[in-house]
Amino acid sequence: MKTYFTSESVTEGHPDKIADQISDAVLDALLSQDPNARCACEVMVNTGLVVLAGEIKTNCYVDIPQIARDTILQIGYDSDELGFDGRACAVLTSIDDQSSDISLGVDKCGAGDQGLMFGYASNETPELMPLPISLAHKMARRLAQVRKEKIIPYLRPDGKTQVTFENHDGKPIRISTIVCSAQHNPDVSQNQIRKDLLQHVIEPVAGKWLDEKTIYHINPTGSFVLGGPHADCGLTGRKIIVDTYGGSARHGGGCFSGKDPSKVDRSGAYAARWVAKSLVASGLASRCEVQIAYAIGICDPVSIFVETFGTSEYSPEELETIIRNNFDLTPGGIIRDLDLKRPLYYATSVYGHFGRENDHFPWESAKELKI
């Protein structure tokens, strides 16, 4: 049976990703001075404007407006010509202390909120990620790389990639369609953009999966001069499928960026990926999706659910027992075992939170399981 499946990624200059990066830059700045800081930092970016709001509880001081400006400049928005300038934009903050009701539950190592999180792993790729999102991320990272290294000097920070795989009997065999949109200077032709993106971005990343029938949509509207916050409002947590598995697995609904690890939206999702990857890496399944659910203020998960899509010799009940015997899935246990009270989050805020073994995220180190 022939099917098609698509995943997308975006570069760090995408407005939603600008917001995610600022949120996580604030979090990292707090954790670098106060490992017990509590943070829920939301960001909105629009033309000439950055708004930060949320709740922070800490014993240290960080210069939030300067962190926002530095992050924007590092991304590459540093002049009015680009429609957004980290030096000149207005930065507004509205930060409150964390709710005492939430603190009460977190202080005793309970979950900071109710919620459900999913983790997923598949043996489609060496990093045990779905192939479509893996290639979409690699292409987006390459798009940023050729801009920063001036291999394609006319590119600007905003960009998006999308990969559609043709599958036969559930196995990917070729890329049927690629969409690549790259913000650019106004004085370059679309023919030049198409040629350069094919040569320097698409073919180096996806070459083995391309054939003469592959369809390319490169800057499909014909022009992509206006980008970033000048073209579209950006919000923290609006790219949750890009952040996870590209739609190949379910998502609990909560975003990650700007949240300290006491928030199980983040730490629980990292733990679920750790569990799912460990099961697949141990050969207990070829594909695995794990759901963990919590109640606010309660330490132990209210439920653990395992789906292996017919790829395991073990029953869901047996796999749940294996999980409980090998992992401490209380919020305190997750934070301890993955060493999450440290500034590692800014790096996660673009190109996905999972499958990046070279970035040494602790949830990507599969655990050797005792069966």
Side-chain angles (χ1 to χ4, degrees), residues 87-105:
R87 287 182 291 261
C89 62
V91 181
L92 307 179
T93 62
S94 178
I95 304 294
D96 294 319
D97 194 6
Q98 185 181 59
S99 161
S100 59
D101 296 331
I102 294 175
S103 292
L104 184 66

Side-chain angles (χ1 to χ4, degrees), residues 22 43-52 64-66 68-69 72 80 83-93 229:
I22 295 172
V43 175
M44 180 190 77
V45 294
N46 205 348
T47 304
L49 177 65
V50 181
V51 179
L52 298 96
I64 292 177
Q66 191 60 50
R69 295 185 187 282
I72 294 163
D80 288 338
F84 200 59
D85 185 350
R87 287 182 291 261
C89 62
V91 181
L92 307 179
T93 62

Side-chain angles (χ1 to χ4, degrees), residues 63-302:
D63 188 341
I64 292 177
Q66 191 60 50
I67 291 169
R69 295 185 187 282
D70 289 345
T71 302
I72 294 163
L73 292 172
Q74 182 173 324
I75 291 167
Y77 284 112
D78 55 5
S79 74
D80 288 338
E81 183 183 358
L82 301 179
F84 200 59
D85 185 350
R87 287 182 291 261
C89 62
V91 181
L92 307 179
T93 62
S94 178
I95 304 294
D96 294 319
D97 194 6
Q98 185 181 59
S99 161
S100 59
D101 296 331
I102 294 175
S103 292
L104 184 66
V106 176
D107 289 342
K108 62 179 183 180
C109 290
D113 200 354
Q114 72 175 46
L116 51 112
M117 301 85 220
F118 287 95
Y120 181 80
S122 166
N123 64 3
E124 289 179 40
T125 61
E127 61 270 25
L128 303 186
M129 284 288 286
L131 184 56
I133 188 65
S134 181
L135 275 188
H137 281 322
K138 289 174 182 176
M139 201 177 301
R141 294 188 84 158
R142 178 64 180 167
L143 192 58
Q145 180 185 5
V146 298
R147 170 179 65 88
K148 293 175 181 179
E149 296 180 1
K150 301 190 183 304
I151 296 171
I152 307 181
Y154 54 79
L155 291 184
R156 292 177 171 182
D158 201 352
K160 305 177 81 171
T161 63
Q162 187 169 283
V163 179
T164 300
F165 266 90
E166 179 182 321
N167 305 292
H168 287 192
D169 298 324
K171 300 292 185 181
I173 64 163
R174 59 180 291 271
I175 293 176
S176 66
T177 305
I178 281 182
V179 183
C180 187
S181 298
Q183 187 187 13
H184 57 85
N185 294 344
D187 55 354
V188 60
S189 71
Q190 292 303 310
N191 285 337
Q192 185 67 49
I193 294 170
R194 180 181 179 88
K195 175 185 174 183
D196 288 343
L197 292 184
L198 280 169
Q199 178 181 351
H200 297 293
V201 177
I202 296 172
E203 291 174 354
V205 172
K208 65 174 288 186
W209 298 101
L210 307 174
D211 60 24
E212 69 280 358
K213 295 182 180 179
T214 300
I215 298 169
Y216 302 96
H217 296 296
I218 298 176
N219 283 7
T221 64
S223 180
F224 188 3
V225 174
L226 294 180
H230 186 48
D232 191 12
C233 179
L235 296 171
T236 298
R238 204 159 59 177
K239 280 286 178 280
I240 58 176
I241 300 302
V242 170
D243 285 341
T244 54
Y245 307 102
S248 292
R250 289 173 284 194
H251 194 288
C255 78
F256 307 151
S257 289
K259 296 176 180 177
D260 74 85
S262 74
K263 313 297 190 296
V264 286
D265 274 341
R266 182 167 221 160
S267 54
Y270 291 167
R273 163 65 176 171
W274 189 33
V275 171
K277 185 170 185 178
S278 298
L279 292 175
V280 173
S282 298
L284 301 182
S286 299
R287 292 175 60 204
C288 182
E289 184 181 72
V290 175
Q291 184 202 62
I292 312 172
Y294 294 90
I296 187 169
I298 305 301
C299 292
D300 290 316
V302 299

